[in-house]
């Protein structure tokens, strides 16, 4: 939060090596890798935001772990999965198709963010997409194409799919989300940064206990979990101002977490 940006795009579960391979780095004004403050989303949220106040920032988020975020941190928090009325007011998304997807499409994140920016042009924006995190839902051209088999917490662990297949699926999801991130960058003024909350384990050997790691478990800090991209795109800066926020209620959406395989029945 102390770094210089107007728009911070967070790609969920995006390893830096995958970002460099799939997206590339030459098109950015500056690129480096940084160490994340968490090996998974709840750790990242707690360690970056809780206990602090950022009344100059709006957090637009598709990630279901918003219930670990303390109240009164941001000027406004938009939990896009929960804000169905807002989505209906600014997006042409078919909600039946959205239910089939099982997560927030990147196109919906763009529609909501544009509306928020139009309403609050003097606020910094964190746009927390859910891709390339599974479920694998997209292609590089921005179209929806669902592959339910590419799920790393069960199918990879049991050998139903290979690490290479998961890599390919995450790569497609990354191409998909970057397709929409580029479009949103064109519509937002200011300096934009693309980063990630954490990476993803695909069966790497952990230390000091030599077991294989998968997905992004709590309390594990392998470099492939904590090394994330930091890609900067310069733009005409906008005037940022703090304000008194309404600090919307944060939904405790445990059903979504259960559907994603994080919680038991």
């Amino acid at each position: 939060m102390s770094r210089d940006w107007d728009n911070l795009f967070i790609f969920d579960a995006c390893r830096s090596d995958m970002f460099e391979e799939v997206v590339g780095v030459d098109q950015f004004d500056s690129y480096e890798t940084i160490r994340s403050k968490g090996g998974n989303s709840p750790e990242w949220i707690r360690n970056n935001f809780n206990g602090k106040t950022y009344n100059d920032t709006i957090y637009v988020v598709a990630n279901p772990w918003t219930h670990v975020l303390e109240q009164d941190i941001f000027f406004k928090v938009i939990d896009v999965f929960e804000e169905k009325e807002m989505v209906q007011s600014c997006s042409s998304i078919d909600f039946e198709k959205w239910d089939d997807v099982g997560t927030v499409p990147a196109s919906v994140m763009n529609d909501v963010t544009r509306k928020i920016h139009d309403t609050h042009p003097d606020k910094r924006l964190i746009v927390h997409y859910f891709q390339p995190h599974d479920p694998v839902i997209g292609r590089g051209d921005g179209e929806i194409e669902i592959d339910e088999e590419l799920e790393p917490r069960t199918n990879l662990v049991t050998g139903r799919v290979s690490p290479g297949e998961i890599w390919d699926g995450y790569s497609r999801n990354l191409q998909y989300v970057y397709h929409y991130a580029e479009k949103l960058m064109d519509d937002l003024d200011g300096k934009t940064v693309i980063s990630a909350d954490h990476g993803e384990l695909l069966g790497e050997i952990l230390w000091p206990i030599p077991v294989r790691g998968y997905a992004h478990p709590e309390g594990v800090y392998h470099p492939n979990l904590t090394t994330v991209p930091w890609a900067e795109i310069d733009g005409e800066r906008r005037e940022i101002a703090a304000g008194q926020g309404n600090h919307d209620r944060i939904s405790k959406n445990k059903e979504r977490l259960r559907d994603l395989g994080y919680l038991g029945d």
Side-chain angles (χ1 to χ4, degrees):
M1 291 300 293
S2 64
R3 288 199 168 209
D4 182 34
W5 49 265
D6 300 302
N7 314 301
L8 176 60
F9 294 176
I10 297 296
F11 290 176
D12 207 293
C14 184
R15 294 166 53 132
S16 59
D17 55 354
M18 179 177 290
F19 186 89
E20 292 160 9
E21 176 183 307
V22 173
V23 174
V25 301
D26 292 341
Q27 69 270 38
F28 300 111
D29 294 299
S30 176
Y31 177 80
E32 63 180 309
T33 60
I34 63 171
R35 181 177 174 83
S36 173
K37 291 186 175 183
N40 64 11
S41 297
E43 286 185 321
W44 180 83
I45 289 172
R46 292 189 191 103
N47 293 338
N48 280 288
F49 307 135
N50 283 356
K52 307 179 180 89
T53 301
Y54 302 107
N55 277 335
D56 64 350
T57 305
I58 297 175
Y59 186 24
V60 184
V61 54
N63 185 288
W65 284 102
T66 49
H67 69 274
V68 306
L69 186 67
E70 294 174 352
Q71 299 293 322
D72 301 334
I73 292 177
F74 295 107
F75 176 80
K76 193 175 184 67
V77 176
I78 307 298
D79 184 339
V80 176
F81 200 90
E82 294 293 299
E83 296 279 352
K84 294 293 176 68
E85 290 186 8
M86 172 177 285
V87 171
Q88 286 177 321
S89 71
C90 63
S91 177
S92 60
I93 185 72
D94 182 328
F95 278 95
E96 290 186 4
K97 290 183 178 179
W98 187 352
D99 289 339
D100 292 338
V101 171
T103 188
V104 180
S107 61
V108 173
M109 289 294 290
N110 282 14
D111 292 339
V112 172
T113 301
R114 290 187 188 101
K115 179 174 182 178
I116 292 298
H117 180 54
D118 289 344
T119 307
H120 303 286
D122 62 343
K123 298 294 180 284
R124 295 209 296 178
L125 294 170
I126 301 175
V127 185
H128 191 155
Y129 295 95
F130 200 56
Q131 294 78 35
H133 192 292
D134 68 291
V136 175
I137 67 166
R139 304 192 315 230
D141 60 3
E143 293 298 313
I144 295 292
E145 185 175 85
I146 302 171
D147 192 333
E148 296 179 351
E149 291 297 305
L150 298 181
E151 191 280 305
R153 273 168 303 279
T154 301
N155 290 351
L156 178 58
V157 174
T158 59
R160 188 170 180 176
V161 296
S162 69
E165 289 173 309
I166 294 293
W167 182 278
D168 290 343
Y170 268 59
S171 296
R172 292 199 302 274
N173 245 16
L174 178 53
Q175 291 171 337
Y176 163 81
V177 70
Y178 185 69
H179 171 87
Y180 285 101
E182 279 193 302
K183 290 180 177 294
L184 187 58
M185 275 187 277
D186 291 340
D187 295 333
L188 301 178
D189 54 359
K191 178 179 181 178
T192 299
V193 170
I194 299 176
S195 190
D197 51 354
H198 56 79
E200 185 81 358
L201 293 178
L202 302 176
E204 290 89 342
I205 299 295
L206 304 181
W207 182 91
I209 302 174
V211 297
R212 294 192 178 276
Y214 299 93
H216 36 274
E218 184 89 16
V220 175
Y221 306 107
H222 188 280
N224 288 343
L225 279 183
T226 59
T227 305
V228 295
W230 187 268
E232 298 187 351
I233 306 95
D234 294 333
E236 184 176 349
R237 305 305 294 269
R238 63 179 185 266
E239 192 71 26
I240 302 296
Q244 185 61 43
N246 62 6
H247 306 300
D248 300 72
R249 176 185 63 84
I250 306 301
S251 171
K252 295 184 178 181
N253 198 333
K254 292 187 177 180
E255 183 178 347
R256 288 183 63 204
L257 293 169
R258 187 174 292 109
D259 289 343
L260 289 164
Y262 289 104
L263 301 177
D265 294 331

